[in-house]
Amino acid sequence: MQQIPAPSDSSSETGRGAFGRLTLKPLSEQIIVITGASSGIGLVTARMAAAAGARVVAVARNEEALKELIAELEGKGQTAAYVVADVGREEDVQRVAETAIRQFGTFDTWVNNAGVSIFGQAMEVTTQDMKRMFDTVYWSVVYGSKAAVRHFKERGVPGALINIGSIFGDRGVVVQSTYSSAKFAVHGWTENLRMELEKEKAPVSVTLIHPGRIDTPYNEHAQSYLDKQPVHRGMIYPPEAVAEAILHTAQHPKRDMFVGSQARLGALFGNLVPRLTDKAFEWIMFRGQQSHERPSHPREAGSLYEPGYGMHERGTNEGFVRGGSLYVKASKHPVASTLAVAGLSALVWTLAKRKR
C-alpha cells in the first residue's frame, strides 16, 4: 500500500492535560499496532479499531489470514497494513515497528496481544515446549514494549502501550502451568516498566488488561497434553469485551482494566484466601478446562510452532458466553458507576427503613 502521512497531533506540546496526566489521541486519529491479529481478541480488536477510524497494523504468523483481513477492511473503506512476523523473535518485532513507521510515519498505540497456551500437567510438559511458549507469551511482550517505548520517547508525543495479561497471571491455575507462569511474568514486567517510565515522566501510558476466560480459538490453537479437548466451561466472556477495554485504554490512560468480574474476583480471592482458592481450583479447574466427551486434537495440531487457522473470532468452548462485560463498562466510567452504586444503596436503605 502507499505511504500515508501521519495524522496531525491535536494534543498539547507536552502531551499532558490536567494534573500532569498524559493526553492520548482519539482513536479516529490513531495508528494502532496489534499483534496476534489473525484470530480471537486481536482480530476483533482490529475490526473494531478500523471501524472507529483508526489505521491498523495487523501482525501475525498467518499471512493468508492477514491478507484476508486487510482486504476485508479496505473493502469497507478502512485503512490497514499487515506484517507477517513471529513475535517471539526480537528481530521480527523490530521489523513490525519499522514497517508501521515506513507505512504511516508513526504509530500511537501498541497492543501486545499474541499468545498461545499449553494444556497439560506441569510435570508432563516438555521443557522445549515451555521455552517456546515463553517466547510467544512473555518475550514477545518484552520485545514489543521496548520497540513501542523507544518510538514514543523519540517522537516526544504520548503513546499507549497495552499488554494483555490474564486472570491466570493474577492467580495460578492447574493444567495451564506454563501459560499461567508466562502471564505472571507479563504482569511483573508491565508493573516494573510502568513505574520506571512514570518516574522519568516518559510520554507512555502503560496499561495491563486482565481478561477473564474468553471465547476465542485459544483452546483450538493450544498445545494439548490432555486426553479430552481443551475448552473453557462455565461462564466465559466474548472477545468484544476485551477489545472494548483495549480501545478504551488506547484513548484514556489507565493502569489496569479487568474484563469481567470473574477476573477481578479471581485476583481478589487469590490474595485474600489463597488456600481456599487452591482447594476450589483443584476441585473445579481440572474438569473445567476440558471437554466431557470430545477427544483432544493431536499435540502437533496446536499452533505453538506453526501458525494456527485464522479469521475466527470465537472458539469451540462449552461454557455460557456472556453478552459483554458490565465490569468493563463500569470501569470506563468509574465516577458515574460509584455514584450509581451509592444511590442504589441509599435507595435500598431508605426502603428497608420505611418497611421497618
Side-chain angles (χ1 to χ4, degrees):
M1 62 178 293
Q2 294 181 340
Q3 180 171 339
I4 301 171
S8 59
D9 176 34
S10 59
S11 62
S12 65
E13 285 296 317
T14 61
R16 294 184 183 273
F19 309 107
R21 292 191 64 186
L22 290 171
T23 301
L24 301 173
K25 296 178 183 179
L27 201 59
S28 60
E29 298 178 15
Q30 286 202 28
I31 295 98
I32 178 169
V33 177
I34 305 169
T35 69
S38 62
S39 68
I41 292 168
L43 175 59
V44 174
T45 305
R47 284 170 166 162
M48 288 174 60
R55 301 171 186 183
V56 173
V57 180
V59 183
R61 292 176 294 171
N62 187 331
E63 184 170 15
E64 182 180 348
L66 289 174
K67 285 181 176 179
E68 184 177 343
L69 173 61
I70 300 309
E72 172 195 316
L73 300 181
E74 291 182 340
K76 297 176 181 178
Q78 297 158 1
T79 305
Y82 75 89
V83 185
V84 179
D86 180 345
V87 292
R89 295 164 51 91
E90 188 168 16
E91 56 270 32
D92 279 22
V93 174
Q94 186 55 40
R95 182 165 50 80
V96 171
E98 292 168 355
T99 302
I101 294 168
R102 183 172 63 253
Q103 293 279 17
F104 296 110
T106 187
F107 57 84
D108 304 287
T109 294
W110 184 292
V111 183
N112 282 313
N113 165 73
V116 65
S117 188
I118 298 174
F119 284 75
Q121 295 195 42
M123 295 302 292
E124 296 178 354
V125 178
T126 67
T127 304
Q128 178 183 351
D129 284 353
M130 294 174 73
K131 288 181 176 180
R132 172 59 182 172
M133 206 213 68
F134 260 78
D135 285 341
T136 302
V137 175
Y138 173 68
W139 284 109
S140 70
V141 173
V142 174
Y143 302 149
S145 298
K146 288 187 172 184
V149 170
R150 277 196 296 264
H151 179 64
F152 296 149
K153 282 185 173 182
E154 287 171 0
R155 73 173 188 169
V157 176
L161 170 64
I162 303 172
N163 292 340
I164 309 304
S166 171
I167 180 176
F168 300 140
D170 289 313
R171 168 67 219 186
V173 63
V174 299
V175 182
Q176 291 191 76
S177 58
T178 307
Y179 179 79
S180 180
S181 300
K183 287 298 187 181
F184 264 86
V186 168
H187 289 205
W189 162 261
T190 305
E191 289 184 358
N192 282 276
L193 178 63
R194 181 194 294 113
M195 290 187 290
E196 292 178 4
L197 293 173
E198 188 173 52
K199 176 68 174 176
E200 65 180 82
K201 293 182 169 55
V204 188
S205 169
V206 180
T207 299
L208 180 64
I209 306 290
H210 305 244
R213 300 197 302 169
I214 310 299
D215 184 22
T216 71
Y218 163 95
N219 62 315
E220 293 287 341
H221 292 166
Q223 192 91 340
S224 176
Y225 283 72
L226 305 178
D227 294 328
K228 300 296 185 181
Q229 173 64 17
V231 295
H232 289 320
R233 297 175 61 199
M235 186 174 68
I236 54 181
Y237 294 86
E240 289 83 358
V242 188
E244 182 181 358
I246 291 169
L247 298 182
H248 177 74
T249 56
Q251 303 170 86
H252 307 282
K254 198 168 180 66
R255 185 184 190 277
D256 296 275
M257 197 86 165
F258 289 83
V259 181
S261 55
Q262 176 190 87
R264 192 69 188 92
L265 292 174
L268 183 64
F269 285 127
N271 287 325
L272 294 179
V273 284
R275 285 297 294 142
L276 179 60
T277 308
D278 286 349
K279 293 299 182 182
F281 274 26
E282 289 168 18
W283 180 56
I284 297 169
M285 297 306 288
F286 278 100
R287 66 175 182 270
Q289 298 184 88
Q290 50 189 312
S291 175
H292 268 323
E293 299 177 354
R294 286 187 291 153
S296 175
H297 58 240
R299 192 178 305 175
E300 60 273 12
S303 63
L304 187 62
Y305 294 96
E306 299 295 334
Y309 64 85
M311 298 303 290
H312 286 247
E313 294 181 351
R314 303 298 183 99
T316 57
N317 296 291
E318 298 177 359
F320 164 67
V321 183
R322 295 283 304 274
S325 169
L326 294 176
Y327 198 92
V328 168
K329 297 186 186 302
S331 298
K332 290 166 64 176
H333 307 285
V335 175
S337 299
T338 301
L339 291 174
V341 171
L344 181 60
S345 299
L347 177 61
V348 170
W349 182 83
T350 300
L351 293 174
K353 186 177 179 182
R354 286 180 179 176
K355 187 174 181 180
R356 287 197 301 268

